[in-house]
Amino acid sequence: MAVLRFLLTATACAGAAVAIGQFMESGVSRAAATPVDLPETYPEAPVLTAAVTEMAPRLSGAFDLPQPPRSPARLARLGPVPAKEGCDLRLSAEPRPGAIAELQLAAPCAPLARVTLRHQGLTVTLLTDAQGEAGVLFPALSRDAVFMAEAGGAMAVARTELPDMAEWHRVALQWRDGDGLSLHALAPGARYGESGHVSRDMAPGAAGGASMIGLGDPAAPAPRLAEIYSAPVGDAAAISVEIEVTATNCGSPVAAELVRVGDAESIASTDIEVTLPGCDAVGELLVLQNLEPGLTVASR
């Protein structure tokens, strides 16, 4: 398979979009690719604060029309509609070693339904089984971990404490709809596919204490997917994002977000916006490297 290399670097300007040139090599493996010296920048990772926007209530045109008076008999029959018994959405979170939360969701009235799961700015979608249940191991991004689930029109919140969170370094990649994206970590001196390379395709334990966990069900409607890299604090690794050009994403724009957890659980993010080559490049690979927090990386 021909390999298309895009080495992208961003200059330090928070919130600015930087267009990165393309570097292409045909028929060259990852290991044989010639490194390109790029200027190093060390912008301070911003602490992101999400702003909540209040939405104005929608006004219905029905309010502009005269309403016929209702009879006392009709009013007497009006009353609260009782909720269907046993249809509450339940979400539990239990701490596990490695600062991981084990989540269990029960939605008895939402079998085979889409579940939206949120945590610290990450959003993934799951599918319940025939009994309306779903479970996932979620590497947390904070010690005091709060998770919110939505399914079948109901919502639930769960919380758990992860006392070993300070021992772990985490980087997450999240995206929606598309396929072909993956997160990679390469220890100093390591080669792709060998010890020290961490990805979802590598066997657990191949890189010591480091691991990669994929979240989200691609079969869910409008799927939201994520991969989370975990490593003991102090371990060094180069992070990259790879995008395979496929028949379903060729020639299309791809948007993703890279989220890093820093000291004191500060969170910094890098927005990634790339327009993929046309469908004659199906099977080729884009590699995005030197992704600095707080910047937008774009390729044309």
Side-chain angles (χ1 to χ4, degrees):
M1 176 182 70
V3 178
L4 169 63
R5 286 280 175 189
F6 281 74
L7 299 179
L8 300 130
T9 185
T11 57
C13 180
V18 179
I20 306 301
Q22 302 184 11
F23 176 72
M24 304 176 61
E25 289 186 352
S26 298
V28 181
S29 67
R30 288 191 183 101
T34 303
V36 178
D37 294 331
L38 299 174
E40 296 187 1
T41 58
Y42 302 91
E44 182 179 356
V47 177
L48 302 185
T49 303
V52 179
T53 303
E54 294 287 341
M55 296 185 65
R58 296 183 179 178
L59 298 180
S60 171
F63 288 106
D64 299 329
L65 301 177
Q67 299 295 318
R70 290 179 293 181
S71 67
R74 173 58 177 166
L75 292 174
R77 290 195 296 269
L78 294 179
V81 178
K84 189 174 180 180
E85 185 177 356
C87 280
D88 292 340
L89 177 65
R90 299 184 301 277
L91 178 67
S92 65
E94 297 293 335
R96 295 291 178 262
I100 291 177
E102 181 179 352
L103 305 181
Q104 294 292 337
L105 180 137
C109 296
L112 305 177
R114 183 181 189 268
V115 178
T116 301
L117 188 61
R118 295 184 175 90
H119 167 66
Q120 287 292 100
L122 294 183
T123 302
V124 297
T125 52
L126 309 175
L127 282 175
T128 60
D129 60 18
Q131 287 72 45
E133 298 178 351
V136 64
L137 293 175
F138 202 121
L141 303 188
S142 61
R143 176 189 173 99
D144 183 11
V146 179
F147 301 88
M148 183 174 67
E150 181 179 359
M155 298 181 65
V157 176
R159 187 177 210 161
T160 187
E161 288 282 339
L162 300 167
D164 56 346
M165 181 67 205
E167 302 173 11
W168 293 91
H169 168 66
R170 295 227 152 101
V171 179
L173 175 71
Q174 66 174 343
W175 69 97
R176 64 177 71 200
D177 295 334
D179 56 359
L181 282 84
S182 58
L183 182 63
H184 296 258
L186 205 62
R191 296 183 178 182
Y192 279 87
E194 299 179 357
S195 178
H197 173 210
V198 184
S199 73
R200 66 187 176 200
D201 297 326
M202 301 298 294
S211 64
M212 189 80 67
I213 291 181
L215 298 174
D217 191 334
R224 298 288 296 267
L225 308 173
E227 291 184 358
I228 301 179
Y229 166 71
S230 302
V233 168
D235 282 14
I239 301 297
S240 63
V241 174
E242 296 188 357
I243 309 175
E244 182 182 358
V245 182
T246 69
T248 57
N249 66 16
C250 56
S252 302
V254 171
E257 183 183 15
L258 194 71
V259 178
R260 301 172 186 257
V261 180
D263 295 338
E265 298 183 12
S266 62
I267 294 184
S269 70
T270 301
D271 291 326
I272 300 172
E273 299 176 1
V274 176
T275 298
L276 300 182
C279 293
D280 55 343
V282 168
E284 296 182 347
L285 197 67
L286 282 72
V287 178
L288 314 181
Q289 296 178 328
N290 301 329
L291 300 172
E292 297 293 343
L295 299 178
T296 298
V297 178
S299 176
R300 293 184 299 176

